Amino acid sequence: MINFVQFGAGRIGAIHAASLAASDDAALRYVVDVNREAAERLGKKYGAKVVDTKTALADPDVHVALIASSTDTHADLVVAAAKAGKAIFCEKPIDLSLKRVDTCLEVVKQTGVPMLVGFNRRVDPSFRALHDRLRAGEIGEVEQVIISSRDPGLPPLEYLKVSGGQFRDMTIHDFDMARWLLGEEPIEVYAAGSCVVDPAVGKIGDIDQAMVILRTQSGKLCHINNSRRASYGYDQRIEVHGARGRLMAGNKTPTTVEVANGTAVSADKPLHFFLERYAEAYRAELAAFLDALRKRKPMPVGADDGRQALVLAEAALKSHRTGRPVKVSSIGGRRA
Amino acid sequence: MINFVQFGAGRIGAIHAASLAASDDAALRYVVDVNREAAERLGKKYGAKVVDTKTALADPDVHVALIASSTDTHADLVVAAAKAGKAIFCEKPIDLSLKRVDTCLEVVKQTGVPMLVGFNRRVDPSFRALHDRLRAGEIGEVEQVIISSRDPGLPPLEYLKVSGGQFRDMTIHDFDMARWLLGEEPIEVYAAGSCVVDPAVGKIGDIDQAMVILRTQSGKLCHINNSRRASYGYDQRIEVHGARGRLMAGNKTPTTVEVANGTAVSADKPLHFFLERYAEAYRAELAAFLDALRKRKPMPVGADDGRQALVLAEAALKSHRTGRPVKVSSIGGRRA
Amino acid sequence: MINFVQFGAGRIGAIHAASLAASDDAALRYVVDVNREAAERLGKKYGAKVVDTKTALADPDVHVALIASSTDTHADLVVAAAKAGKAIFCEKPIDLSLKRVDTCLEVVKQTGVPMLVGFNRRVDPSFRALHDRLRAGEIGEVEQVIISSRDPGLPPLEYLKVSGGQFRDMTIHDFDMARWLLGEEPIEVYAAGSCVVDPAVGKIGDIDQAMVILRTQSGKLCHINNSRRASYGYDQRIEVHGARGRLMAGNKTPTTVEVANGTAVSADKPLHFFLERYAEAYRAELAAFLDALRKRKPMPVGADDGRQALVLAEAALKSHRTGRPVKVSSIGGRRA
Amino acid sequence: MINFVQFGAGRIGAIHAASLAASDDAALRYVVDVNREAAERLGKKYGAKVVDTKTALADPDVHVALIASSTDTHADLVVAAAKAGKAIFCEKPIDLSLKRVDTCLEVVKQTGVPMLVGFNRRVDPSFRALHDRLRAGEIGEVEQVIISSRDPGLPPLEYLKVSGGQFRDMTIHDFDMARWLLGEEPIEVYAAGSCVVDPAVGKIGDIDQAMVILRTQSGKLCHINNSRRASYGYDQRIEVHGARGRLMAGNKTPTTVEVANGTAVSADKPLHFFLERYAEAYRAELAAFLDALRKRKPMPVGADDGRQALVLAEAALKSHRTGRPVKVSSIGGRRA
């Protein structure tokens, strides 16, 4: 049995706990949350004890720290878990400060504990299949990557205020996809942002629209488009152009029903948001983590991947603010 | 130059005259129509003389009789044209009476003039591609054919009264598709019809809904479904199942535009009716006729094809009326 | 807690046991299977005891008998469970003999226990959505139903020999869909079958291809096409034509990836077979059963639905054998 | 009758001449081409005389100069035609030099002759429908425009050498689409180009890949991606995101046939290149020109539209070369 302590008993925590329960050889031993009530509820459902961080990490029979608490607690928990010798499953982002991420990852590196960062799109069945077929050479060498990633609606302002801004909060997933699919590090980032959905977003210094172009050393190009408002649901599409063809992955829908009438032929709009769209990815993520642990394989998304996506987000933010393309090397050298 | 006399200056006549005008080596010399005004209008547009049948067929420089007049005139014109030694392009059906068709085709056979019957779906680019890929063995031996063929709305009762009924008027096209795609003659027909759109249709002894099953000697099966009411436009789909796969041809739309909004993702409904859906097929039909004439090749749809589709329509009508499957051989032996 | 005894620890049994485990208020108490090893394995995984039928049904704390054993045991188990006062979840078919089904359902009726028959397509999200939108009037009154239902490949001959034949084994699901969607009982069945995939199937008196037409009193028509060989996967499509439009539900695919290259634009073939295609439906089925139990609502698919689909299968078989349409009333009057 | 002189008897010239021949009230009177043989061939086919420029423009019965000759002759012919008082239908681009375009358009402006520039995508049925539905408010205010525009393969180097480079030759169409769909002038252009298909393209100072971001004053964003190599055919897609939804227009295919087999479900790849993809647009363009002439309405694409697209191309080229975004105002002020 692989025993877990889970930090965070909220929405994402509930998903991971359910995935754990469906596993044959993993068990939730402890739940830790500042919201005692939420922790008790989750603990009761899955037979886990509610304790504090120290107690949980001190238990030698706990093998994994699953960190699904609020963003500002991630880095400290990663450090504490690493020092306690636990394997780490950490929801993205590790932290909103690149400096703090680096300090934190230094500890992880020294302790040598395995760590997965929660970019779950890498294990989404469609994106994973696209990636694997790409790497298998089905369309030849990559030339361009185009990522459409649009949320169904603005989150509450309270959320936005602590989110780190659109590039760090939302585009960061797309930066990870870009790196993964390009198969080569971007060296330059140009980002244009604007605020057209709600002026209140602009007032807190954030944006609700963005378009990005990434460029690699060898001339591969990548475009990302983001919006906080896709009234038709969560729009998550990827296309990759190679020397011999194009691979695309499209949206998923609740049903396959379509109606034809005097007006149009209409199908379902896409699944509403990430909980629905990536339900399979969340399950696959925990399975992939456990598989890597058992077989002592590299994690499907490593600690360094978490860092590099943040570097691109920082570069995008700087580009947006200065109105100029930004060299990635000016943000933070690649961690050795 | 291949010179034409065209009988009929109505809606279909106008389409054929335009196709003729776009041809490099064919010319419309005469137009014949009981509606003198319509004939004059068409003649003027394309530089053709308006004459009577006798005059037109007596001209030795006329090579082709294109028959696009009302159904009840087809058989007589075919006979007259054949006796005058003209090649024949005859809109479907040759006649609504199988007996008269046989008499008529006997003359055609004796004179040896080339004759095409206007089942234009055989030259529709999509159906033609499906057929050719099927015959090329792409999905192996045919096992089942499924034809959906649905009109956008009921024609006027006046039309229905002289139409010969749904099987002879509408399903006849699908019977031709079935024979062409099965690659083997149906030996038995079961047809179920009903009248649900308008009771007035039932009062004149016709139906507005039909489902048919055809069976061949070797066990291939074919289903046809018809309706006089597809509120979303002209529904024309074919699927063929073979030992190694399935070929389908779907509907065509005016544009490729789709809209996604809070309700659905909606595309264009199909093109409205046969004039729009088969516009390319009408052009291709005349081109194929001219090509066969020039190269002395067999016509893409021969006189006998016109007869056999009618035989299946008769069998379907008998099945519908008796409530039992009908042997095709009981309707009319295959013409030698 | 709603306690279950499950009969059958095979492939379908494993699915239902997993669904039970995910439920909040249902528990698997006993597993019964002639294959002791399979029963032990399943029991161990979900904390259930392996016992015999008598013991399980004698336990007053058992509320539900879930029957997922081999077809020939269903009827006896239904009777025993009903007499023991247990609610019944019975995989289809109740039995292959209509007479035995009637005897069995008589007992169920007398005891008044709730009973669900496992036509899981009724709770498949796409078919359910299509049905509900149809009943909500979205396309007006039903005119035609067209069901394409094709298996990826022939089952082993050993299976076919005890299957009851294609109409009772495979088409029976489509007959249930037809009744459900037509909203009116079919009164006549015409079925044409043939054997083209493997002559061995013909030798044991079965078929591997079928086409069916059903007709209702008011003139609604329904077509079903079946094949035991769809080399591209499990083909499960439904279309319903109504006075104001058409509703369709199509196939599901493993991913949304498509590739465009010098040859074609290619998407995934459909999910392989029923375990993949109806994975959600299996889960939804148990949830719907529990919901109906808790709220004392009628079952989504009742005992009588199981019987009526079998009546249509019998009618189809008779039609196929006699070559004539068969009145449904000649098979077995509607149970009062 | 509206009489035309057509300059250019090449590939595009042949298309326009055929469209003219199909018109009811327009006639091709003269053909002018340095290639005498090509001119004679076209003249003979459509009953037009082969003359020199001077003769043609001196004929008072000539109303329109249709300029479909080589790019370097456009500006002189526009000036000559304008001075002769002829209406002008000019293939894009007016010229590759913005200065020369301005001189040329000054003459057009002074003479007041109507002038259409050949951005035929504006009359393509799908793009036109998308545009009209957008302007009708179907998805609310525009937020982002995304244009994918990819050629099937590299043109010959000889062509590229005189093409003005990818931005002026290829992207110029997309810049026109962008302006038309944004409904607001871009004020800044960022363009990233690279050469990955063939190093020979790089050696002559050109690129074969490009990604562009345009930004308008109010914060609307537009992305364009280009490639000279789409091995699957001509990829021409547009999506527009608005406050209340998304409008998309996709590729067109030769047929609607799809095949399902043990590997995939495969449809036709897109039509090969612009002659096939925009065949309808070419016809619609001439019809729209004639309609505007007859009704003295503004041209669907005016002379100034030709200029502004070139301004954006210049800005993109400068951005690509300097590696920085470029203000459109720095290239050439908007013509009054």
Side-chain angles (χ1 to χ4, degrees), chain A residues 143-144 150 194 219 229, chain D residues 143-144 150 194 219 229 239:
Chain A
E143 293 175 355
Q144 297 191 357
R150 314 175 74 88
S194 62
R229 166 165 70 182
Chain D
E143 293 175 354
Q144 297 191 357
R150 313 174 76 87
S194 62
R229 168 164 68 182
E239 53 185 271

Side-chain angles (χ1 to χ4, degrees), chain D residues 3-288:
Chain D
N3 297 315
F4 278 63
V5 50
Q6 181 174 305
F7 298 94
R11 203 164 49 165
I12 299 293
I15 289 171
H16 291 311
S19 297
L20 264 176
S23 163
D24 282 342
D25 68 348
L28 183 60
R29 177 164 293 198
Y30 299 119
V31 178
V32 181
D33 197 304
V34 288
N35 180 337
R36 182 86 193 184
E37 203 184 333
E40 292 288 359
R41 206 164 35 232
L42 204 71
K44 196 178 158 199
K45 178 156 187 186
Y46 295 107
K49 273 174 88 171
V50 174
V51 295
D52 62 11
T53 302
K54 212 169 163 183
T55 310
L57 293 179
D59 184 341
D61 286 348
V62 163
H63 311 100
V64 179
L66 192 163
I67 303 170
S69 45
S70 64
T71 294
D72 59 332
T73 65
H74 288 188
D76 284 348
L77 288 170
V78 166
V79 168
K83 289 187 173 165
K86 313 301 185 195
I88 298 167
F89 181 117
C90 182
E91 268 304 321
K92 71 100 205 170
I94 302 170
D95 196 82
L96 295 172
S97 150
L98 183 57
K99 203 175 149 192
R100 205 164 168 215
V101 168
D102 280 344
T103 317
C104 174
L105 294 195
E106 190 53 39
V107 178
V108 173
K109 198 183 165 191
Q110 283 165 6
T111 57
V113 296
M115 176 169 171
L116 172 144
V117 174
F119 286 131
N120 59 0
R121 294 182 194 177
R122 290 212 193 186
V123 287
D124 171 72
S126 291
F127 294 159
R128 164 63 60 179
L130 183 153
H131 172 271
D132 292 354
R133 291 167 67 172
L134 179 65
R135 285 296 165 265
E138 190 167 331
I139 58 165
E141 191 70 19
V142 176
E143 293 175 354
Q144 297 191 357
V145 174
I146 297 163
I147 299 174
S148 292
S149 171
R150 313 174 76 87
D151 285 359
L154 267 183
L157 271 184
E158 292 317 302
Y159 173 88
L160 288 180
K161 281 176 186 165
V162 298
S163 70
Q166 185 172 302
F167 293 116
R168 288 196 198 94
D169 177 57
M170 181 177 169
T171 326
I172 197 165
H173 276 294
D174 309 310
F175 287 129
D176 183 58
M177 284 289 99
R179 292 181 61 236
W180 187 51
L181 294 167
L182 285 165
E184 185 185 340
E185 291 297 330
I187 57 164
E188 196 174 58
V189 179
Y190 173 75
S194 62
C195 176
V196 303
V197 177
D198 186 349
V201 174
K203 274 185 199 146
I204 61 168
D206 204 352
I207 53 176
D208 51 42
Q209 305 286 314
M211 283 192 168
V212 177
I213 291 175
L214 305 174
R215 181 208 293 268
T216 71
Q217 187 63 52
S218 74
K220 294 175 173 59
L221 300 172
C222 171
H223 164 69
I224 298 166
N225 62 75
N226 284 163
S227 171
R228 289 282 195 186
R229 168 164 68 182
S231 55
Y232 48 89
Y234 196 41
D235 196 353
Q236 296 282 297
R237 290 172 288 140
I238 289 178
E239 53 185 271
V240 181
H241 296 266
R244 290 199 308 275
R246 181 189 72 197
L247 280 162
M248 298 175 94
N251 288 314
K252 291 174 64 180
T253 53
T255 77
T256 62
V257 178
E258 70 165 50
V259 67
N261 56 33
T263 308
V265 177
S266 305
D268 281 5
K269 56 184 180 166
L271 287 168
H272 178 60
F273 206 4
F274 66 98
L275 292 178
E276 295 85 8
R277 168 66 182 84
Y278 292 117
E280 279 178 286
Y282 280 112
R283 286 194 291 270
E285 191 183 26
L286 191 74

Side-chain angles (χ1 to χ4, degrees), chain C residues 228-304:
Chain C
R228 288 284 194 183
R229 168 165 67 184
S231 54
Y232 48 90
Y234 195 41
D235 196 353
Q236 295 282 298
R237 290 171 288 140
I238 289 178
E239 54 185 271
V240 181
H241 296 266
R244 290 198 310 275
R246 180 189 75 197
L247 279 162
M248 298 175 94
N251 288 314
K252 292 175 63 180
T253 53
T255 78
T256 63
V257 178
E258 69 165 49
V259 67
N261 57 32
T263 307
V265 178
S266 305
D268 282 5
K269 56 184 180 166
L271 287 169
H272 179 60
F273 207 3
F274 66 98
L275 291 179
E276 296 86 7
R277 168 67 182 84
Y278 292 116
E280 278 178 285
Y282 280 112
R283 286 194 291 269
E285 190 182 26
L286 191 73
F289 174 79
L290 290 171
D291 187 59
L293 271 195
R294 281 182 214 114
K295 302 182 183 159
R296 298 173 191 275
K297 293 192 307 182
M299 285 293 155
V301 202
D304 198 46

Side-chain angles (χ1 to χ4, degrees), chain A residues 38-283:
Chain A
E40 292 288 0
R41 204 162 40 231
L42 204 69
K44 194 177 161 201
K45 178 157 186 186
Y46 294 107
K49 275 176 86 170
V50 174
V51 295
D52 63 12
T53 303
K54 211 169 164 183
T55 312
L57 292 179
D59 183 340
D61 285 346
V62 163
H63 311 100
V64 179
L66 194 162
I67 303 170
S69 45
S70 64
T71 294
D72 58 332
T73 65
H74 289 189
D76 284 348
L77 287 169
V78 166
V79 168
K83 287 186 175 166
K86 314 299 185 195
I88 299 168
F89 180 119
C90 181
E91 269 303 322
K92 69 100 207 172
I94 302 170
D95 196 83
L96 295 172
S97 148
L98 183 57
K99 204 175 149 192
R100 205 162 168 217
V101 167
D102 280 341
T103 317
C104 173
L105 295 195
E106 191 54 37
V107 177
V108 172
K109 199 183 162 190
Q110 282 165 5
T111 58
V113 298
M115 174 169 174
L116 174 143
V117 175
F119 286 131
N120 59 359
R121 294 183 195 177
R122 290 211 193 187
V123 287
D124 171 73
S126 291
F127 294 160
R128 166 61 61 178
L130 184 152
H131 172 271
D132 291 353
R133 291 168 66 171
L134 179 65
R135 285 294 167 265
E138 191 168 332
I139 59 165
E141 192 69 17
V142 176
E143 293 175 355
Q144 297 191 357
V145 173
I146 298 161
I147 299 173
S148 293
S149 171
R150 314 175 74 88
D151 284 358
L154 269 183
L157 270 186
E158 292 317 302
Y159 172 87
L160 287 180
K161 280 175 187 165
V162 297
S163 70
Q166 186 171 302
F167 294 116
R168 287 197 198 95
D169 177 58
M170 178 178 172
T171 326
I172 197 164
H173 276 294
D174 308 310
F175 288 129
D176 182 59
M177 285 287 101
R179 291 181 62 237
W180 187 51
L181 294 168
L182 285 165
E184 188 186 339
E185 291 296 329
I187 57 166
E188 197 175 58
V189 179
Y190 174 76
S194 62
C195 175
V196 304
V197 177
D198 185 348
V201 174
K203 272 184 201 147
I204 61 166
D206 205 353
I207 53 176
D208 51 42
Q209 305 284 313
M211 281 193 170
V212 176
I213 290 176
L214 305 174
R215 181 208 294 267
T216 72
Q217 187 64 49
S218 74
K220 295 176 172 59
L221 299 171
C222 172
H223 164 70
I224 298 165
N225 64 74
N226 284 163
S227 171
R228 289 284 194 183
R229 166 165 70 182
S231 54
Y232 47 90
Y234 195 40
D235 195 353
Q236 295 282 298
R237 290 171 289 140
I238 289 178
E239 55 185 90
V240 182
H241 296 266
R244 291 198 309 274
R246 181 188 73 197
L247 280 163
M248 299 175 93
N251 288 316
K252 291 175 65 180
T253 53
T255 78
T256 63
V257 178
E258 67 165 52
V259 67
N261 56 32
T263 308
V265 177
S266 304
D268 281 6
K269 57 182 180 167
L271 288 168
H272 179 61
F273 206 4
F274 66 98
L275 291 179
E276 295 86 5
R277 168 65 182 86
Y278 292 117
E280 279 178 286
Y282 279 113
R283 285 194 291 269

Side-chain angles (χ1 to χ4, degrees), chain B residues 132-208:
Chain B
D132 292 353
R133 290 168 67 171
L134 178 66
R135 286 294 166 265
E138 193 168 330
I139 58 166
E141 192 69 18
V142 176
E143 293 175 353
Q144 297 192 356
V145 174
I146 298 162
I147 299 173
S148 292
S149 172
R150 313 175 75 89
D151 285 358
L154 268 183
L157 270 186
E158 292 317 301
Y159 172 88
L160 287 180
K161 281 176 186 164
V162 297
S163 70
Q166 186 172 300
F167 293 116
R168 287 196 199 94
D169 177 57
M170 179 178 171
T171 326
I172 197 164
H173 276 294
D174 308 310
F175 288 129
D176 183 59
M177 284 288 101
R179 291 181 61 237
W180 188 51
L181 294 168
L182 285 166
E184 187 186 339
E185 292 295 330
I187 58 166
E188 198 175 56
V189 179
Y190 173 76
S194 63
C195 176
V196 303
V197 177
D198 185 349
V201 174
K203 273 184 200 146
I204 61 167
D206 205 353
I207 52 176
D208 50 42

Side-chain angles (χ1 to χ4, degrees), chain B residues 211, chain C residues 122 130-131 134-135 140-147 174-189 212-224 238-241 312 328:
Chain B
M211 282 193 168
Chain C
R122 290 210 192 189
L130 184 153
H131 172 272
L134 180 66
R135 286 297 165 264
E141 191 69 18
V142 176
E143 294 175 354
Q144 297 190 357
V145 174
I146 297 162
I147 299 173
D174 308 310
F175 287 129
D176 183 59
M177 285 288 100
R179 291 182 61 239
W180 188 50
L181 293 168
L182 285 165
E184 186 186 339
E185 292 296 330
I187 57 165
E188 196 175 58
V189 179
V212 176
I213 290 176
L214 305 174
R215 181 207 294 267
T216 72
Q217 186 65 50
S218 74
K220 294 176 173 58
L221 300 172
C222 171
H223 164 69
I224 297 166
I238 289 178
E239 54 185 271
V240 181
H241 296 266
L312 294 177
V328 176

